């Protein structure tokens, strides 16, 4: 740009100087000399005028060109982003443990390689999918659509997702503060609240946070084997959910969150004992200390959940008779995690897990843990677990156990609202 | 029950006011200056938080739900907490790119835009350094963005917003001229900061950054890093260590080893009563830094 500009300047100004030097010597005689000078001066003036106009024009062109260049640069930048911009955000979580259980021995447990994808669908919805590969194979854990602009404070979700039951049931296991799912959650809810179905949430217009969810699903629970997801059935055999969730700031640094959930199945049919209703109720209470000026290196979370499961369960007697009886199983967990600097956290999990078939028999778990995060995306955790087991169903669920867990995140990973 | 709850929150005296939510107190203050009596402004954060680890509090959700306008810093400064809240706030008009969303980084000359976006470089800001509010000249761009955003949504009040903007810019210009004078001694001063958030400020007042306590953005220092940082500080004769909402453990350790003075500065307004406005906040940072240098 600069070269052509100065060249143009030379083109305009040099002829003016040339006129000036060339015309002067050819005049002779006083009057004619004066006339010649006048005319040459006039000529110079005209030429200078032209040169100035030309400079002005070039200046204008220069500004126009540079703003054109800026525009082109901008569009190049945006089109360079356009190809990947339409791709969803992609992340992979790798979660592994080296573990030893006094009853069954040790293993390197490849727990999960979890591929997460998320993007807006259109102005009205967004979508996400979480596909997990583990020792058990590859599975679509979640793949769901969520509306973003329904009126009346409503939000709908559909597909396969973790139903809005309780708190920890909506976490993927690598998001826990400790290594394993509490046994109480595993036995009573069936692990994560994985469900195929549809959900509608409503945000109340209260000055404080109050949110309700209603849902309908085939069933709830990743390990719920009461019925087969792939079979059609009468509407009485679906599971219906209601949840109410609220939150209060006690002070700037202390807060409390409370939720209550109920999942009702009008008819659960089990072999030999026929149908019954199933009621699964949950109560979750979370206290957090988050000192605002120190959130990078100080926090305490105290998480508690109680679960009650009520349904008819089969009991097989020694003589081979199978009898169905309503069983009310009550269990839960409580854990506290203390983050004491930017990289380190420690805590303790107490777990109280009944057998849902014979609620009198319990397993109690005690697990201290220590977590080191060299960065936000890389985490090592050591955990010791002692399980005092009276249920005697699974050998792996008793005795002393140690775990060393290594969890990393590749690519995009943001914490959504549910795993805050 | 539903109807009662619904009626409770609306229909109060502020029903006519424009409800503005800002992510940080700096933006809330400037929005108040421009909206004056037409707006009710609230900031979600208090100015003391480390912006990359603001707790996702459900109490922010009803505020976002009812906002007419959301004002944010942009450049992904709020990316670790704001999207999670907007997910459940059910307010499509304030989502990114929508008319009710004012991104104050529009038109800012962004510094430290990474040429390589790789987590081996730490928790990089893919869009560049988002702490542009620390350069008071960017305060003028913020004010202009807020006035434009308010006028876009409420064109009937455009004249008022423009008038208030002109008054605020006048006030800010006076302060900028004053700061330019008082910041004279900062020229050429070499400093170390905890996190790389002081670039805009340093550029404006001619300070030179020698290094950061963090190895890379968001990565705590290793013993080796601290040893080499001490060497560099001694070679370069770094005079001051700046930290913010982080622990003072490493700043104190480095100060002990190098003789540099330490000073805790704020990256956002609102943290204390003396910094309850954007202008007072820049004032306070400059004062603290100058007095730390005198002591050193």
């Amino acid at each position: 740009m600069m070269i052509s500009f100065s060249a143009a300047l030379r083109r305009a100004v040099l002829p003016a100087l040339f006129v000036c030097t060339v015309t002067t010597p050819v005049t002779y005689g006083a009057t004619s000399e004066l006339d010649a000078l006048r005319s040459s001066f006039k000529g110079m003036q005209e030429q200078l005028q032209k040169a100035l106009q030309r400079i002005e024009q070039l200046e204008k062109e220069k500004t126009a060109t540079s703003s054109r260049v800026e525009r082109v640069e901008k569009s190049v930048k945006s089109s360079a982003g356009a190809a990947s911009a339409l791709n969803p955000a992609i992340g992979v979580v790798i979660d592994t443990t080296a573990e030893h259980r006094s009853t069954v021995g040790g293993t390197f447990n490849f727990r999960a390689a979890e591929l997460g994808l998320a993007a807006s669908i259109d102005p009205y919805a967004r979508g996400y999918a979480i596909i997990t590969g583990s020792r058990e194979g590859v599975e679509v854990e979640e793949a769901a659509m969520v509306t973003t602009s329904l009126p009346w404070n409503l939000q709908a979700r559909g597909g396969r997702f973790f139903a809005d039951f309780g708190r920890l049931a909506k976490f993927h296991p690598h998001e826990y503060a400790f290594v394993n799912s509490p046994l109480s959650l595993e036995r009573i809810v069936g692990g994560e609240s994985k469900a195929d179905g549809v959900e509608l949430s409503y945000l109340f217009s209260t000055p404080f946070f109050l949110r309700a969810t209603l849902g309908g699903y085939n069933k709830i629970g990743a390990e719920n084997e009461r019925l087969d997801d792939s079979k059609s059935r009468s509407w009485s055999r679906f599971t219906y959910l209601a949840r109410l969730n609220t939150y209060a700031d006690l002070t700037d640094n202390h807060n409390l969150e409370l939720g209550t959930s109920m999942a009702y199945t009008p008819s659960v049919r089990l072999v030999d004992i026929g149908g019954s209703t199933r009621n699964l109720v949950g109560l979750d209470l979370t206290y957090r200390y988050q000192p605002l000026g120190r959130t990078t290196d100080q926090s305490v979370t105290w998480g508690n959940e109680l679960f009650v499961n009520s349904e008819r369960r089969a009991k097989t007697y020694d003589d081979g008779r199978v009898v169905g009886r309503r069983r009310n199983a009550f269990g839960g967990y409580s854990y506290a995690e203390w983050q004491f600097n930017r990289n380190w956290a420690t805590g303790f999990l107490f777990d109280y897990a009944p057998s849902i078939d014979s609620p009198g028999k319990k397993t109690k778990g005690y697990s201290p843990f220590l977590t080191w995060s060299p960065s936000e995306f890389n985490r090592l955790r050591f955990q010791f677990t002692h399980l005092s087991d009276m249920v005697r169903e699974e050998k792996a669920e008793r005795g002393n156990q140690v775990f060393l867990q290594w969890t990393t995140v590749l690519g995009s990973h943001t914490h959504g609202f549910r795993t805050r | 029950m539903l109807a009662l709850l619904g009626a409770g929150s609306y229909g109060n005296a502020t029903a006519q006011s424009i409800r503005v939510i800002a992510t940080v107190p700096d933006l809330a203050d400037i929005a108040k200056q421009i909206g004056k009596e037409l707006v009710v402004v609230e900031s979600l954060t208090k100015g003391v938080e480390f912006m990359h680890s603001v707790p996702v509090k459900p109490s922010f959700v009803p505020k976002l739900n009812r906002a007419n306008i959301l004002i944010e810093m942009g450049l992904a400064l709020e990316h670790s907490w704001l999207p999670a809240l907007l997910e459940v706030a059910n307010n499509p008009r304030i989502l990114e790119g929508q008319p009710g969303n004012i991104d104050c980084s529009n038109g800012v000359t962004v510094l430290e835009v990474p040429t390589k976006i790789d987590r081996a470089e730490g928790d990089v800001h893919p869009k560049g350094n988002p702490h542009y509010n620390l350069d008071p000249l960017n305060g003028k761009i913020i004010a202009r963005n807020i006035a434009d955003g308010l006028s876009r949504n409420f064109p009937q009040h455009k004249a008022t917003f423009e008038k208030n903007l002109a008054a605020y810019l006048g006030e800010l210009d006076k302060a900028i001229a004053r700061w330019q004078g008082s910041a004279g001694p900062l020229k050429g001063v070499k400093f170390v900061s905890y996190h790389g958030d002081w670039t805009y400020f340093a550029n404006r007042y001619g300070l030179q950054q020698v290094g950061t306590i963090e190895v890379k953005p968001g990565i705590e220092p290793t013993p080796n890093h601290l040893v080499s940082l001490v060497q560099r500080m001694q070679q370069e004769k770094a005079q001051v260590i700046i930290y913010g909402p982080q622990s003072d453990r490493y700043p104190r350790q480095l100060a002990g080893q190098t003789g540099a003075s330490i000073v805790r500065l704020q990256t956002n307004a609102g943290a204390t009563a003396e910094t309850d406005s954007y202008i007072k906040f820049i004032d306070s940072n400059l004062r603290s830094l100058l007095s730390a240098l005198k002591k050193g």
Side-chain angles (χ1 to χ4, degrees):
Chain A
M1 236 356 263
M2 284 313 290
I3 293 164
S4 65
F5 177 66
S6 54
L9 195 66
R10 275 200 303 276
R11 275 205 304 279
V13 177
L14 287 179
L17 294 172
F18 178 77
V19 168
C20 171
T21 48
V22 170
T23 49
T24 315
V26 295
T27 51
Y28 50 90
T31 325
S32 60
E33 214 170 289
L34 201 62
D35 284 347
L37 268 173
R38 268 199 199 116
S39 82
S40 78
F41 184 69
K42 208 176 172 192
M44 273 170 69
Q45 252 185 335
E46 277 167 13
Q47 292 284 356
L48 269 172
Q49 197 65 38
K50 273 185 197 158
L52 283 173
Q53 277 171 1
R54 180 88 181 119
I55 287 170
E56 203 173 309
Q57 191 194 343
L58 283 167
E59 286 276 338
K60 272 185 198 159
E61 276 175 21
K62 189 187 163 206
T63 336
T65 319
S66 68
S67 79
R68 263 204 309 278
V69 168
E70 260 170 39
R71 277 205 301 276
V72 170
E73 272 175 4
K74 258 189 199 165
S75 83
V76 166
K77 267 186 207 158
S78 63
S79 64
S84 59
L86 284 178
N87 285 331
I90 301 173
V92 175
V93 178
I94 303 171
D95 186 18
T96 58
T97 55
E99 51 189 64
H100 179 83
R101 295 171 203 248
S102 59
T103 48
V104 293
T107 180
F108 287 105
N109 186 354
F110 174 66
R111 290 168 30 121
E114 182 192 285
L115 173 68
L117 305 163
S120 296
I121 294 167
D122 61 15
Y124 316 112
R126 62 186 169 84
Y128 64 95
I130 292 173
I131 297 156
T132 302
S134 68
R135 298 207 290 198
E136 281 84 43
V138 175
E139 187 190 20
V140 178
E141 282 203 288
E142 293 189 83
M145 300 66 82
V146 190
T147 62
T148 53
S149 53
L150 280 190
W152 307 306
N153 277 351
L154 292 171
Q155 187 171 59
R157 183 187 304 261
R160 171 175 292 184
F161 52 92
F162 290 177
D164 195 9
F165 183 91
R167 174 165 175 255
L168 230 48
K170 292 175 285 186
F171 283 48
H172 291 266
H174 68 85
E175 292 165 329
Y176 299 148
F178 32 83
V179 177
N180 297 307
S181 291
L183 277 177
S184 48
L185 178 72
E186 292 278 328
R187 289 187 189 158
I188 303 179
V189 182
E192 300 97 317
S193 59
K194 191 177 124 188
D196 296 357
V198 64
E199 224 169 50
L200 193 67
S201 299
Y202 175 70
L203 181 71
F204 288 87
S205 304
T206 43
F208 56 92
F209 175 79
L210 182 64
R211 195 165 191 251
T213 305
L214 295 174
Y217 326 86
N218 284 345
K219 62 176 181 180
I220 289 180
E223 286 141 45
N224 177 354
E225 278 153 13
R226 286 174 185 80
L227 56 82
D228 186 347
D229 245 339
S230 63
K231 287 193 179 131
S232 299
R233 69 203 80 132
S234 88
W235 290 103
S236 67
R237 297 184 65 198
F238 286 75
T239 295
Y240 302 94
L241 173 134
R243 174 170 167 82
L244 208 54
N245 182 199
T246 187
Y247 167 96
D249 283 314
L250 303 174
T251 67
D252 278 349
N253 297 342
H254 301 265
N255 58 69
L256 209 54
E257 188 166 358
L258 181 67
T260 173
S261 327
M262 191 178 94
Y264 173 69
T265 314
S267 167
V268 175
R269 284 188 204 153
L270 294 178
V271 186
D272 298 334
I273 57 166
S276 82
T277 58
R278 178 185 178 210
N279 255 322
L280 172 64
V281 178
L283 185 70
D284 53 282
L285 178 70
T286 311
Y287 159 82
R288 291 184 189 85
Y289 167 61
Q290 297 165 313
L292 285 190
R294 303 292 303 277
T295 45
T296 45
D297 48 26
Q298 287 280 324
S299 72
V300 173
T301 306
W302 182 35
N304 308 278
E305 274 189 87
L306 291 176
F307 309 111
V308 182
N309 184 59
S310 169
E311 67 182 313
R312 268 160 71 96
R313 301 294 294 177
K315 182 172 170 68
T316 311
Y317 285 93
D318 293 341
D319 58 6
R321 277 183 308 131
V322 180
V323 176
R325 287 173 60 186
R326 179 159 291 275
R327 297 293 189 174
N328 297 313
F330 162 90
Y333 69 85
S334 175
Y335 79 92
E337 186 195 28
W338 173 44
Q339 187 207 344
F340 55 92
N341 71 32
R342 198 162 176 181
N343 301 132
W344 289 90
T346 187
F348 191 88
L349 165 71
F350 171 68
D351 192 10
Y352 183 84
S355 154
I356 57 169
D357 291 323
S358 328
K361 295 177 186 166
K362 322 265 194 235
T363 307
K364 288 180 196 161
Y366 308 87
S367 309
F369 51 87
L370 179 69
T371 307
W372 178 56
S373 313
S375 82
E376 207 185 319
F377 308 100
N378 196 352
R379 188 185 70 201
L380 282 167
R381 178 175 291 144
F382 178 77
Q383 180 173 311
F384 169 80
T385 295
H386 173 73
L387 292 172
S388 137
D389 176 48
M390 305 309 284
V391 178
R392 316 299 282 183
E393 277 170 6
E394 284 275 347
K395 228 177 152 188
E397 290 173 356
R398 70 186 77 130
N400 293 328
Q401 313 181 340
V402 286
F403 303 89
L404 183 63
Q405 181 188 27
W406 190 4
T407 311
T408 57
V409 178
L410 291 68
S412 159
H413 186 71
T414 49
H415 284 279
F417 188 73
R418 72 178 182 190
T419 55
R420 67 192 171 275
Chain B
M1 170 80 176
L2 293 190
L4 273 177
L5 289 168
S9 65
Y10 295 112
N12 49 24
T14 59
Q16 268 78 47
S17 304
I18 301 167
R19 288 183 299 270
V20 177
I21 292 292
T23 55
V24 294
D26 315 47
L27 306 183
D29 169 53
I30 298 176
K32 268 179 219 156
Q33 304 296 330
I34 292 168
K36 298 264 190 215
E37 63 285 348
L38 294 172
V39 294
V40 177
V41 187
E42 198 179 339
S43 169
L44 294 180
T45 59
K46 310 252 174 194
V48 295
E49 298 91 336
F50 183 54
M51 285 309 292
H52 311 302
S53 62
V54 174
V56 178
K57 290 186 174 180
S59 48
F60 293 164
V61 173
K63 295 175 184 178
L64 288 166
N65 174 250
R66 264 155 252 169
N68 300 110
I69 303 278
L70 169 64
I71 308 178
E72 54 176 297
M73 290 282 290
L75 299 180
L77 182 71
E78 297 98 342
H79 82 291
S80 68
W81 55 281
L82 189 61
L85 293 162
L86 290 172
E87 227 177 65
V88 288
N90 289 353
N91 189 350
R93 74 184 158 229
I94 59 163
L95 298 179
E96 193 186 335
Q98 298 304 309
N101 181 300
I102 302 177
D103 179 346
C104 291
S105 70
N106 276 336
V108 167
T109 305
V110 183
L111 302 177
E112 299 176 331
V113 180
T115 47
K116 184 183 171 199
I117 299 175
D118 185 345
R119 292 246 173 85
E121 301 305 311
D123 195 4
V124 287
H125 294 291
K127 296 180 176 172
N129 190 326
H131 302 282
Y132 60 89
N133 59 320
L134 295 170
D135 175 356
L137 257 61
N138 286 334
K140 295 171 70 175
I141 301 180
I142 293 173
R144 165 52 66 194
N145 278 326
I146 292 175
D148 287 352
L150 288 171
S151 300
R152 179 172 70 226
N153 287 276
F154 300 92
Q156 68 274 32
H157 301 306
K158 186 173 178 182
T160 314
F161 297 141
E162 286 296 324
K163 192 183 88 200
N164 295 344
L165 171 71
Y168 183 68
L169 288 181
E171 199 186 329
L172 190 54
D173 271 330
K174 263 187 233 154
I176 287 170
R178 195 175 72 232
W179 294 325
Q180 204 64 43
S182 63
L186 296 181
K187 203 163 172 68
V189 165
K190 293 184 174 168
F191 75 102
V192 161
S193 66
Y194 204 111
H195 183 67
D197 34 17
W198 290 90
T199 316
Y200 291 91
F201 182 83
N203 272 16
R204 177 60 51 209
Y205 296 115
L207 290 95
Q208 287 175 35
Q209 179 138 18
V210 171
T212 58
I213 293 177
E214 289 181 333
V215 181
K216 300 266 167 82
I219 312 281
E220 284 286 88
T222 58
N224 279 343
H225 175 75
L226 290 174
V227 169
S228 72
L229 185 59
V230 166
Q231 283 170 356
R232 213 171 334 139
M233 286 177 71
Q234 283 163 342
Q235 275 164 15
E236 304 264 350
K237 300 193 174 52
Q239 289 168 264
V240 64
I241 301 162
I242 301 174
Y243 72 109
Q246 297 97 355
S247 153
D248 62 358
R249 180 183 151 202
Y250 296 118
R252 286 196 182 285
Q253 184 184 328
L254 286 175
Q257 287 170 318
T258 62
S261 47
I262 60 171
V263 60
R264 184 169 188 174
L265 300 183
Q266 309 294 339
T267 46
N268 284 102
T272 60
E274 297 122 50
T275 61
D276 64 356
S277 78
Y278 180 67
I279 290 178
K280 285 199 218 165
F281 146 71
I282 303 272
D283 246 342
S284 154
N285 272 343
L286 271 172
R287 257 202 324 273
S288 307
L289 188 55
L290 286 164
S291 80
L293 280 170
K294 263 184 213 146
K295 272 182 219 151

